[in-house]
Amino acid sequence: MPHLAPPALPPGTLARHPQPVLPVAGTEAVLRPWEEGDAEAVREAYDDPAIQYWSARRADSTAEAAEWISGWRAAWRAETRAEWALTQGRTLLGRCSLNRIEADDGEGEVAYWVTPAARGRGLAPAALRALTAWAFATGFARLVLQHSTGNTASCRVATKAGYPLEATRHAAARHADGWHDMHAHVLINPRTARVR
């Protein structure tokens, strides 16, 4: 059955290009593709109780973190997600990603975290703005950012990065302590998404 509308992100939109390095304005940090050598830093980041709590996962070994990185790199080629390391020099400061990409509708779901040592410096909203600018220039029409309603720090990041709150989704995500209501912040690309 043929589609009546072409995909917002045609096949190859990501995979035909190397994953770019994105400067993070106002900082000395960049968003860069993950490297195999990042595995130990990822494992250490996921030792943080806050990252575990809000991400609902942990890395039990460097080998497991290396598998994640391998999967993140492969996902770029498969055009199913786009993952960046937030770094300054060789120091890992965090992660910023489109952890779900829907090519037909041009939608991406944003996710991020920063390490404990990097918190309170405005890096998360700055990285999110850099990712957003890249995504909209690439042709994404709609970016969704979801977080537990209990995660007030993430709500502040979304607001500072210009993502308005669209809805509250009840019992929409399961964490280690049970079901959480989720805030959905949505940003529409004004150049590509024209609502009828």
Side-chain angles (χ1 to χ4, degrees):
M1 179 181 310
H3 291 273
L4 297 178
L9 298 169
T13 298
L14 303 186
R16 73 173 173 256
H17 304 287
Q19 186 174 352
V21 174
L22 308 176
V24 178
T27 77
E28 296 179 8
V30 297
L31 291 170
R32 64 154 172 82
W34 289 96
E35 300 170 357
E36 292 176 7
D38 294 325
E40 178 58 21
V42 169
R43 188 206 58 75
E44 289 177 5
Y46 275 87
D47 278 347
D48 175 54
I51 290 176
Q52 284 185 18
Y53 184 74
W54 298 119
S55 300
R57 68 187 311 189
R58 67 175 191 235
D60 289 331
S61 68
T62 301
E64 183 178 11
E67 288 178 14
W68 293 357
I69 290 170
S70 178
W72 295 339
R73 291 165 59 92
W76 175 269
R77 296 186 297 275
E79 300 185 308
T80 56
R81 62 194 296 160
E83 294 271 352
W84 280 268
L86 174 63
T87 63
Q88 185 173 324
R90 295 301 306 164
T91 303
L92 178 66
L93 304 173
R95 163 190 173 243
C96 198
S97 71
L98 297 173
N99 65 3
R100 180 186 56 79
I101 294 173
E102 296 290 343
D104 284 348
D105 294 328
E107 183 175 281
E109 184 170 345
V110 175
Y112 50 84
W113 50 254
V114 292
T115 61
R119 291 178 190 148
R121 295 164 44 188
L123 287 167
L128 181 52
R129 285 190 291 269
L131 174 60
T132 301
W134 170 85
F136 283 172
T138 300
F140 282 83
R142 185 174 193 266
L143 298 178
V144 180
L145 185 165
Q146 298 190 80
H147 63 80
S148 169
T149 55
N151 190 344
T152 55
S154 198
C155 202
R156 285 193 302 272
V157 168
T159 301
K160 287 179 181 177
Y163 280 68
L165 180 63
E166 180 178 85
T168 299
R169 301 179 60 231
H170 298 289
R174 191 164 173 231
H175 290 254
D177 61 351
W179 292 96
H180 284 231
D181 291 348
M182 300 291 282
H183 277 165
H185 298 256
V186 175
L187 196 58
I188 304 297
N189 186 342
R191 292 178 296 197
T192 61
R194 291 174 181 81
V195 179
R196 302 278 185 243

